[in-house]
Amino acid sequence: MINPHYAKIPPSYLFSEVAQRVRAFAEKNPQTHLLRLGIGDVTRPLTSSVISALQQAVEEQSHAEEFRGYGPEQGYEFLREAIAEKEYRALGVNITADEIFVSDGSKSDCANIAELFDTSVTVAVSDPVYPVYVDSNAMAGRLGDFVDGAWNRLTYLVCDESNGYTPQPPSERVDLVYLCSPNNPTGAVMTHQDLQKWVEWATENKSIILFDVAYRAFIQDPELPRSIYEILGAEKVAIEFGSFSKTAGFTGLRASWTVVPKALEADGASLNAMWMRRQATKFNGTAYIVQKAAAAVYTEEGMRETGENIALYMRNAQLLRTTLNEIGITAVGGENSPYVWFKCPQNRSSWEMFDLLLNTAHIVGTPGEGFGPAGKGHFRLSAFGNPEDTKLAASRLKEMEF
Ligand code: MLT
C-alpha cells in the first residue's frame, strides 16, 4: 500500500541528521557555545524595509476593505512584475510576469517540478549537490535502487578539482538535468561559456535543465551570469528557481519564484500551462503579507539594506576561505557564494571531520558526503553565521592540529 521507494532512501534528510547530532551534543554540553556554520540558515534579522512592509500588510488585514482572502495561485502581479523587472529585465533578459510563479520556497518547487514529467524519465545531477533534487526523485521512483551509496538510474556529473567543480554535459542523453549556480555545496559558479555548452546540449538532446539560482545574489564578479536566460535559447530548454531565502533573510518567512518560460515545451505541451494547472490544484499561494514583504526587497532602501547583509556574509566567506588556505587546507567557493568547500585533511571521512570540529572546536559544519558520492571526504562551511562566531571559528581552526 505504501510508496515502496521511501524504503530505499537513507532514513534521514542530511540537515535533519546534522541537527540531531548537534542536539545530542548540546544536551550533553549545555554550557558550550556552538559556532553554527552548518545549514545555510541566515542570522541577520529581516531588514527594516521588509519589517515595515509586513507591518503595513498585517494592518491592512484588519480592515474589511483591504482584507485579502485567497490570492492568485501564481502570486500577486505586483510581486511577479517586480521580479520580472529587477531579476530579469535588469540583466537584459526578457522574462515576463506571466512566466513567473511565486512560491513558498525553492526547496518545494525544485522537488515538485518533476511531477510534470513521467516517472520513467532519466535524471542527472551535478555531484556533489543540494540533496533535495536527488531525494525527491528517489521518492518518485525515478532513480532505481540505492546501491553502494549511489542511485543506479541517476547520472552523476562529478565535480572536482579536475573540472573546476563545474558539471560538464554528459555524452549520453538525459531527460532532466539539475544544475545549481552558485553551487551548493561547492560554491563554484558557472560562466557564460559553461552555460552556453549546457543550453546547446539540452537543445540538441531535447533535454530540460532545472536551474537553481538560490545563491545568485552572492555573485560578486560582474562577468558571471546570474540567470540561465542570459544565454540565448535557454527559454526553450530551462526552468529557473530563485529565492528570497538567502538573499533577503526569508528562510523563516518563505518566498521564492520559479520561471517557466512560455517558449518551453516538451512533447508538444506547454510546461508553463502544466505548472499553472499543477499549482492551481495543489497550492493556494504564498501569504499576501509575505509577498508584500518580498516586494519591499526591491525598493531602493530594500536593495541597499539587503546589499549590506550580503556584504557581511561575504566577509565571513572570505575569512573562512583565507583561514583554511592559510592553514594549508585548499578551500574553494566563498568568492561568489556563501559556501566554502574543502577536502578533509589526513584523508578523514566527512563525518569524522564533522565530529572532530564539533568536539574539539565546537564548530558545526556539514559533511560533504551528504551532498552525494563525490562529496565523500569533503566538508562545507557556511558563511551565514554571525561575524563574531565566524571570527571565533577562524581562530579555532588556526589552533587546531589536523
Ligand atoms: C543548505 O544549507 O544547503 C540550505 O540551507 C538548505 C536549503 O536551502 O534548504
Side-chain angles (χ1 to χ4, degrees), residues 240-298:
E240 184 167 283
F241 307 92
S243 175
F244 292 91
S245 283
K246 318 293 158 114
T247 308
F250 275 49
T251 52
L253 213 48
R254 312 304 306 152
S256 67
W257 72 90
T258 293
V259 179
V260 190
K262 284 185 286 181
L264 179 58
E265 289 189 351
D267 299 338
S270 157
L271 293 185
N272 178 290
M274 285 176 74
W275 188 241
M276 184 67 226
R277 185 70 181 85
R278 190 265 173 211
Q279 292 296 80
T281 304
K282 298 196 179 184
F283 186 55
N284 261 332
T286 307
Y288 168 74
I289 58 172
V290 175
Q291 293 193 53
K292 283 303 258 189
V297 172
Y298 295 122

Side-chain angles (χ1 to χ4, degrees), residues 87-132:
E87 305 283 355
Y88 295 100
R89 286 199 283 276
L91 299 174
V93 168
N94 186 29
I95 290 293
T96 52
D98 53 359
E99 296 175 299
I100 293 170
F101 295 77
V102 173
S103 183
D104 61 355
S106 285
K107 184 183 197 176
S108 34
D109 279 11
C110 287
N112 292 331
I113 199 77
E115 282 183 29
L116 303 190
F117 305 96
D118 196 82
T119 44
S120 66
V121 296
T122 49
V123 180
V125 290
S126 41
D127 176 25
V129 87
Y130 184 40
V132 171

Side-chain angles (χ1 to χ4, degrees), residues 51-73:
I51 293 294
S52 308
L54 276 171
Q55 284 167 334
Q56 202 183 326
V58 168
E59 176 58 29
E60 285 174 24
Q61 302 316 297
S62 64
H63 308 290
E65 320 76 60
E66 289 174 307
F67 166 76
R68 310 272 178 149
Y70 290 125
E73 296 94 346

Side-chain angles (χ1 to χ4, degrees), residues 48-254:
S48 22
S49 312
V50 166
I51 293 294
S52 308
L54 276 171
Q55 284 167 334
Q56 202 183 326
V58 168
E59 176 58 29
E60 285 174 24
Q61 302 316 297
S62 64
H63 308 290
E65 320 76 60
E66 289 174 307
F67 166 76
R68 310 272 178 149
Y70 290 125
E73 296 94 346
Q74 196 174 348
Y76 284 97
E77 194 161 350
F78 65 80
L79 180 56
R80 288 185 291 112
E81 272 299 343
I83 294 170
E85 178 59 36
K86 303 288 187 180
E87 305 283 355
Y88 295 100
R89 286 199 283 276
L91 299 174
V93 168
N94 186 29
I95 290 293
T96 52
D98 53 359
E99 296 175 299
I100 293 170
F101 295 77
V102 173
S103 183
D104 61 355
S106 285
K107 184 183 197 176
S108 34
D109 279 11
C110 287
N112 292 331
I113 199 77
E115 282 183 29
L116 303 190
F117 305 96
D118 196 82
T119 44
S120 66
V121 296
T122 49
V123 180
V125 290
S126 41
D127 176 25
V129 87
Y130 184 40
V132 171
Y133 316 145
V134 176
D135 289 5
S136 60
N137 276 289
M139 287 170 179
R142 285 194 191 88
L143 306 189
D145 292 308
F146 196 59
V147 185
D148 297 333
W151 293 96
N152 59 10
R153 270 197 87 236
L154 176 64
T155 300
Y156 291 91
L157 309 166
V158 173
C159 298
D160 55 20
E161 290 106 326
S162 71
N163 52 24
Y165 294 93
T166 304
Q168 304 298 318
S171 45
E172 75 272 24
R173 185 179 179 280
V174 181
D175 294 301
L176 302 180
V177 181
Y178 289 81
L179 299 174
C180 175
S181 178
N183 181 269
N184 177 11
T186 66
V189 188
M190 294 167 84
T191 62
H192 282 91
Q193 290 87 330
D194 296 327
L195 289 182
Q196 180 78 44
K197 264 200 276 181
W198 272 104
V199 169
E200 279 165 18
W201 175 88
T203 309
E204 261 163 43
N205 287 285
K206 296 195 181 339
S207 305
I208 290 178
I209 300 171
L210 302 169
F211 197 63
D212 185 350
V213 291
Y215 300 96
R216 64 179 246 170
F218 296 84
I219 297 178
Q220 309 291 302
D221 180 347
E223 296 300 315
L224 291 168
R226 267 97 174 137
S227 163
I228 196 162
Y229 304 119
E230 290 184 52
I231 310 301
L232 213 63
E235 71 285 357
K236 295 198 179 120
V237 295
I239 291 175
E240 184 167 283
F241 307 92
S243 175
F244 292 91
S245 283
K246 318 293 158 114
T247 308
F250 275 49
T251 52
L253 213 48
R254 312 304 306 152

